[in-house]
Amino acid sequence: MEHNRKRGFAFKAISAVLASSLLLTACSGGGGGGSAGEEQEPNGKLTLTIMTQSSPLAPADPNEKLIFKRLEEKTNVHINWKNYTRDVFVEKRNLAMASGDLPDAIFDAGYSDYELLKLAKDGAIIPLNDLIDQYMPNFKKVLEEAPEYRTMITAPDGNIYAFPWIEELGSGKERIQAVDAVPWINVDWLNKLGLDMPKTTEELKDVLIAFKTRDPNGNGQADEIPLSFINKPGAEDLVFLFAAFGLGENPDHAVVTNEGKVVFTPAEEGYKNAVKYIHELYQEGLIDVEAYTQDWSTYLAKGKDHKYGLYFSWDKSNITGDNDSYEVMPPVAGPDGRINVTQTNALGFHRGRMVITSANQNPEATAKWVDQMYDPIQSVQNNWGTYGDETQQNIFEYDAEKNMLKHLPLNGTAPVELREKTSVAGPLAILDSYFGKYTTLPDDAKERMRIVKEIMAPHMKADRAMPNIFNSIEVLERLTTIETDLFAYVLRMRTEWYQNGKVDEQWDEYLKELDRLGLQEWLEIKQSGYDRAMQK
């Protein structure tokens, strides 16, 4: 799965036509090698230089991954990878594009809409429309089965500038991405202290106080951490609790009401009351002192030691392991007795996952290579990992007779760790129709789907989510300018209020500052985009 959360190759024999066309392109040289470093080897193999990113857990050279070894064997294309770990990738990617020292393509590029259109305007990346139509049958098949994606990847000027990442699983309120941060509570501690699962925000506070004061881990020390989170938008944030006080909160700060109105959640009264509640928890000493500064590795280390009473994550297996010590805490009722779960705006979709640069002397051959990413069996492996690797634990076994990849048990391994070692991310497509045909549903996804369907979706008051809108570069420039300061201000004030409790006395000035930073224009842009999307 994507998300942090969040990741195909048993190739059916590639057709003789494809193999020969790749070989012909390689031999002809497409202009004899370009500034990005294409080469033709004596055996007719084409070499492309591609920049990418990967986890520190993965090999430094992506060609050591079995997925890419098989792909090179089948396509006769060798990739000279410029690979960087995620912490430095964006800096290296931007430096390469700014300096003009362009690779042939950027794989797992992670570009925003604004970045894509700016690069296109500057001539650094090329339109892909004709390449898709002429050389990418696998991708075209995806777009024929799910035509909405062609609309979603097409810029307002009519061009397609990047290959997307698509992962479907469920739909509407029951899609796997409908909830981001799931609350996980230590049921061992509940049981030891004779406590019930909390059903209201006040009961939750009482439970957290008991976790702090009654030594639930039984070691005679006050080393329990009642509540922990990572204080920034994402799957480890605690804003799941905000929905008990109103509309709730989303990483992009937008909620669409059932009347079709786009709301900026941090300006809502319910948001203010939620922040006051978190301050109450802070006053009681219930919040991890590192919550405001910790990174993933620190958060993970304490989770593995089972020090948390309540924490937030996409999947508990990634933090506290696959055991029965932690269970999902169902949404709790707020002071007015209502229960709500905020539906996230996330889809399993990202537009800017791979681009071809203007330095590429073999765009046709590159497009044919990228097209293999959209073969269903390849996509499944790109996303999760592979099969038949004799050097490490495998994600799949491959049923050649059915041409199907079957998920193997994780056997206690954290899903994110195993997948990041072997998967390759990048452009891919996994449609709902693939499950049961090309792959099985992984156990962790199966459980998450159950959680969303049975525990979360029934309490989602909002029936709508914000669609993924491809705005013009002019609109994106305004959004980027506004959001840079607006979102940073919201996070800074929220963090201060958690600790100093001054939200009531500073609220009016805060609202004025939101307007000064461009909130009303932001709302107009978002509402206009939503209304346009609903008319299509």
Side-chain angles (χ1 to χ4, degrees):
M1 295 277 167
E2 183 77 356
H3 220 295
N4 74 312
R5 306 114 51 194
K6 336 195 189 129
R7 282 197 202 278
F9 184 91
F11 252 103
K12 293 178 282 187
I14 294 179
S15 70
V17 173
L18 174 59
S20 61
S21 64
L22 279 168
L23 192 57
L24 282 170
T25 310
C27 292
S28 66
S35 60
E38 303 90 336
E39 301 171 9
Q40 285 75 45
E41 298 181 2
N43 62 0
K45 184 176 287 188
L46 173 68
T47 295
L48 298 171
T49 298
I50 300 181
M51 180 180 287
T52 192
Q53 60 176 316
S54 66
S55 166
L57 300 173
D61 181 0
N63 283 324
E64 293 180 19
K65 289 184 176 181
L66 187 54
I67 288 174
F68 282 138
K69 287 181 179 178
R70 289 185 176 133
L71 190 59
E72 179 169 339
E73 183 181 330
K74 293 295 182 180
T75 62
N76 208 34
V77 175
H78 175 76
I79 307 300
N80 173 28
W81 292 104
K82 292 185 175 180
N83 180 41
Y84 301 97
T85 52
R86 291 173 187 155
D87 57 332
V88 299
F89 171 72
V90 171
E91 177 188 351
K92 299 292 186 182
R93 180 198 70 184
N94 293 349
L95 182 61
M97 299 305 269
S99 68
D101 183 21
L102 305 181
D104 292 312
I106 305 180
F107 186 94
D108 204 11
Y111 279 125
S112 68
D113 292 350
Y114 176 71
E115 289 169 328
L116 281 181
L117 295 186
K118 185 71 169 62
L119 290 169
K121 185 178 180 181
D122 294 344
I125 60 175
I126 65 173
L128 306 172
N129 308 47
D130 292 343
L131 293 173
I132 292 169
D133 288 339
Q134 296 177 44
Y135 304 107
M136 301 188 69
N138 287 320
F139 188 36
K140 283 175 66 179
K141 189 173 180 182
V142 171
L143 299 180
E144 287 164 5
E145 182 171 341
E148 64 271 21
Y149 290 113
R150 185 178 284 274
T151 301
M152 290 167 72
I153 64 176
T154 302
D157 66 4
N159 284 320
I160 297 169
Y161 292 110
F163 301 112
W165 170 87
I166 299 166
E167 184 192 51
E168 294 183 346
L169 191 48
S171 61
K173 290 182 178 182
E174 295 183 4
R175 70 191 188 281
I176 198 167
Q177 306 92 359
V179 176
D180 194 2
V182 172
W184 302 95
I185 194 164
N186 194 323
V187 290
D188 283 353
W189 291 5
L190 287 176
N191 293 335
K192 177 162 185 186
L193 300 178
L195 301 170
D196 294 328
M197 183 72 74
K199 292 183 174 60
T200 68
T201 50
E202 281 305 304
E203 287 180 11
L204 174 58
K205 183 163 71 171
D206 290 342
V207 163
L208 296 177
I209 290 171
F211 286 169
K212 174 183 169 67
T213 60
R214 294 173 57 189
D215 191 27
N217 67 11
N219 67 355
Q221 301 175 37
D223 59 349
E224 295 87 353
I225 300 173
L227 171 64
S228 193
F229 57 98
I230 296 178
N231 189 41
K232 63 180 182 180
E236 291 73 45
D237 198 2
L238 56 57
V239 294
F240 177 89
L241 299 176
F242 281 35
F245 298 88
L247 294 175
E249 171 66 314
N250 265 328
D252 60 355
H253 304 306
V255 165
V256 181
T257 69
N258 289 340
E259 293 71 42
K261 180 183 179 183
V262 179
V263 176
F264 183 74
T265 46
E268 292 296 292
E269 192 75 13
Y271 178 96
K272 180 176 74 170
N273 292 331
V275 170
K276 289 166 69 173
Y277 174 74
I278 303 305
H279 174 64
E280 291 176 17
L281 303 184
Y282 174 82
Q283 280 187 305
E284 295 283 353
L286 306 178
I287 292 177
D288 187 347
V289 295
E290 295 183 301
Y292 308 108
T293 57
Q294 65 188 341
D295 59 12
W296 169 263
S297 59
T298 306
Y299 192 64
L300 176 62
K302 290 179 290 189
K304 285 189 171 180
D305 286 343
H306 289 192
K307 288 189 174 182
Y308 299 145
L310 178 69
Y311 73 95
F312 300 84
S313 182
W314 173 269
D315 185 341
K316 71 173 183 177
S317 299
N318 293 329
I319 306 291
T320 51
D322 187 17
N323 57 64
D324 297 329
S325 300
Y326 290 83
E327 292 180 6
V328 177
M329 183 185 76
V332 293
D336 64 358
R338 289 189 302 174
I339 300 173
N340 183 30
V341 172
T342 307
Q343 183 181 171
T344 70
N345 299 318
L347 293 170
F349 173 78
H350 182 248
R351 254 185 290 270
R353 193 49 66 104
M354 183 174 182
V355 296
I356 296 178
T357 75
S358 55
N360 191 311
Q361 297 294 306
N362 290 284
E364 296 87 359
T366 305
K368 291 171 185 174
W369 183 85
V370 177
D371 191 50
Q372 301 315 302
M373 306 304 153
Y374 292 101
D375 175 276
I377 294 293
Q378 176 76 30
S379 281
V380 168
Q381 291 175 89
N382 280 20
N383 201 44
W384 282 297
T386 194
Y387 70 96
D389 191 331
E390 297 178 357
T391 66
Q392 58 188 313
Q393 185 178 345
N394 286 283
I395 287 284
F396 295 108
E397 62 180 2
Y398 177 55
D399 185 333
E401 188 175 328
K402 294 182 178 179
N403 189 38
M404 184 178 188
L405 291 160
K406 298 180 179 179
H407 281 271
L408 293 168
L410 290 164
N411 294 327
T413 305
V416 68
E417 290 184 15
L418 181 56
R419 290 166 187 164
E420 287 189 352
K421 287 178 183 177
T422 60
S423 65
V424 301
L428 58 88
I430 298 172
L431 304 182
D432 256 335
S433 61
Y434 291 8
F435 294 99
K437 182 177 181 181
Y438 297 112
T439 186
T440 56
L441 196 61
D443 288 342
D444 55 316
K446 195 179 301 181
E447 173 60 10
R448 194 168 213 284
M449 293 291 282
R450 184 194 69 80
I451 291 166
V452 172
K453 181 176 181 177
E454 297 179 8
I455 301 175
M456 303 300 178
H459 298 293
M460 291 179 185
K461 303 293 187 190
D463 295 325
R464 311 183 188 204
M466 193 72 187
N468 197 309
I469 298 162
F470 205 159
N471 288 301
S472 69
I473 191 168
E474 294 78 17
V475 170
L476 289 167
E477 281 174 345
R478 286 302 303 146
L479 278 177
T480 301
T481 301
I482 293 168
E483 290 178 354
T484 298
D485 292 334
L486 183 67
F487 287 12
Y489 177 69
V490 165
L491 181 59
R492 177 169 65 82
M493 295 307 297
R494 185 185 88 175
T495 304
E496 290 180 9
W497 288 335
Y498 283 170
Q499 298 171 80
N500 66 27
K502 295 182 179 179
V503 62
D504 272 334
E505 58 194 88
Q506 295 179 351
W507 187 251
D508 289 344
E509 280 301 313
Y510 165 77
L511 293 180
K512 290 178 185 175
E513 182 65 6
L514 294 181
D515 282 344
R516 191 188 73 79
L517 293 173
L519 174 56
Q520 297 310 315
E521 184 181 356
W522 185 91
L523 284 167
E524 289 172 11
I525 291 171
K526 290 290 186 178
Q527 188 69 59
S528 174
Y530 178 81
D531 293 342
R532 283 198 319 273
M534 291 303 99
Q535 291 168 4
K536 289 182 179 179

